[in-house]
Amino acid sequence: MIKVAVTGACGRMGSGIIKTILQQDDMEIVAAIEAPQSPLEGKDVGEAIGVGPLGVKITSAENLSKALKDSKAQVLVDFTIATAAINTIKTTADCGVNLVVGTTGFSEEQLKQIGESVSKNNIKAVISPNMAIGVNVFFKILKDLAPVLADYDVEIIEAHHKHKKDSPSGTAVRAFEIISEETDRNPADVGVYGRHGLVGERTKDEIGVHAVRGGDIVGDHLVLFAGDGERLEIVHRAHSRQAFVSGVIKALRFILKAENGKINDMADVLGIK
C-alpha cells in the first residue's frame, strides 16, 4: 500500500487527488496538509472535502515534518503555489519522503534548490509542469515535429481560468523550451511574450508566447507552426482537472520504482522519452 500525503488537501486539485486515491486498491491517504492558520486545521479531511470521515486530521504546513514522520508517509503530492511549495519540498526531502510535484511557476533558482534537495537526500521525485497524460504526449509530438518544421514560424497560445496566478503557464513554458532546444535556439533570445503597438515585422527565429485568462477554462494549449501556404496546429484541451489527477495516480505508482536522487518527469512515467 502506497502511503500518500497531500498538500493543499482541500483545494481544487488536492481534494480531487484525495478522492481519486480513495478509489485505488494500492494507495491510502495518511496525511493532509493545509496552509498555516487554516480554519480547517484539526478537522477530518474526509469531512472537509465531503466524502465522510477518513480518520486523517488536517495539519498545518508549519507542522509538516512531524505529520510526515508520524504518518510514515512514503510520498507527498504538491499542487499548490511555488512560494509555498519550495519550502514544502525541502522539508519533505529532508524527511526522506518521496515527491510528486505538479506546482508551476518555479524560478530557475528554485528549480536548482529542488534538484539539490532531491539529490542531497537521495529521494525519488516526479516533477512536471503538467501531469496530464495527453499533455505529455503533446510534448513528445512537439519534440519530434519541431526539427522537421524548423523554418516555420511558431506561436504558442495558452488559456486558463481567471484564478491562475502565473503566466505564461508552466505547460506553455515547457512547450517553448522543447521547441527552442529542438531547433537550436537560445530561449533567452527568441521569446516574445505578447505584442502591442508598432512592433515591426516578425523575425525568423522568434517564438511568440501568449496567455489568455478568463472564466473557468481548465487549460488549453495550442502550438501553431505557420509556413508559406499552410499551417499546422497542435492542440491539447483539458476538459476537467481529472486529467491531471489521472497523471498523478500514474506518477505515484511509478515513483516507488524510480531511481533515487533523480528528478523524473511525466515522460519518464509514461516511457515516452
Side-chain angles (χ1 to χ4, degrees):
M1 193 71 79
I2 305 170
K3 297 180 182 298
V4 184
V6 177
T7 58
C10 300
R12 289 186 294 265
M13 277 300 300
S15 60
I17 291 166
I18 290 173
K19 289 173 183 176
T20 303
I21 285 175
L22 294 175
Q23 299 169 12
Q24 312 306 309
D25 295 331
D26 57 345
M27 301 176 190
E28 63 176 328
I29 295 295
V30 297
I33 316 300
E34 269 293 338
Q37 285 87 52
S38 169
L40 297 171
E41 184 178 357
K43 294 185 178 181
D44 186 289
V45 68
E47 293 180 334
I49 65 173
V51 297
L54 297 177
V56 176
K57 300 296 184 183
I58 297 171
T59 303
S60 167
E62 294 172 321
N63 300 315
L64 175 60
S65 180
K66 185 177 187 302
L68 293 176
K69 291 174 182 176
D70 289 350
S71 67
K72 297 181 171 57
Q74 295 170 286
V75 56
L76 177 137
V77 180
D78 188 283
F79 274 78
T80 56
I81 58 174
T83 50
I86 186 67
N87 292 323
T88 296
I89 290 167
K90 289 178 181 178
T91 299
T92 302
D94 287 343
C95 290
V97 176
N98 302 311
L99 287 159
V100 171
V101 179
T103 299
T104 62
F106 292 116
S107 67
E108 288 299 319
E109 177 58 29
Q110 288 172 328
L111 289 172
K112 180 182 176 183
Q113 292 174 23
I114 292 169
E116 290 171 350
S117 289
V118 169
S119 176
K120 179 184 72 173
N121 292 286
N122 201 33
I123 64 165
K124 301 171 183 180
V126 174
I127 299 177
S128 175
N130 195 311
M131 291 279 176
I133 295 165
V135 159
N136 287 279
V137 175
F138 171 85
F139 288 154
K140 180 67 166 71
I141 292 170
L142 294 179
K143 184 174 182 178
D144 293 342
L145 195 59
V148 179
L149 301 178
D151 58 342
Y152 279 48
D153 297 330
V154 182
E155 298 284 311
I156 300 169
I157 303 99
E158 58 98 339
H160 283 83
H161 54 87
K162 60 187 176 185
H163 302 293
K164 187 168 178 62
K165 294 179 174 61
D166 58 311
S167 176
S169 69
T171 301
V173 171
R174 184 60 192 136
F176 169 70
E177 291 171 346
I178 289 169
I179 295 166
S180 297
E181 290 164 6
E182 297 301 322
T183 56
D184 296 320
R185 303 182 208 189
N186 182 353
D189 295 336
V190 300
V192 175
Y193 298 90
R195 297 184 180 89
H196 177 74
L198 191 62
V199 297
E201 291 186 6
R202 189 187 200 284
T203 64
K204 177 179 179 296
D205 289 331
E206 73 185 56
I207 298 174
V209 185
H210 313 279
V212 176
R213 296 288 178 269
D216 61 354
I217 302 168
V218 175
D220 291 359
H221 292 88
L222 180 150
V223 177
L224 168 69
F225 293 90
D228 292 333
E230 65 175 0
R231 69 178 183 270
L232 184 63
E233 297 178 358
I234 311 300
V235 180
H236 178 273
R237 293 189 176 94
H239 299 160
S240 77
R241 290 180 178 81
Q242 190 59 38
F244 314 126
V245 175
S246 296
V248 169
I249 298 302
K250 283 188 175 291
L252 286 170
R253 292 200 173 103
F254 167 87
I255 201 165
L256 295 185
K257 62 183 180 183
E259 182 181 340
N260 286 78
K262 173 190 173 185
I263 293 179
N264 298 274
D265 60 20
M266 282 301 290
D268 296 302
V269 174
L270 299 173
I272 54 172
K273 277 291 190 183

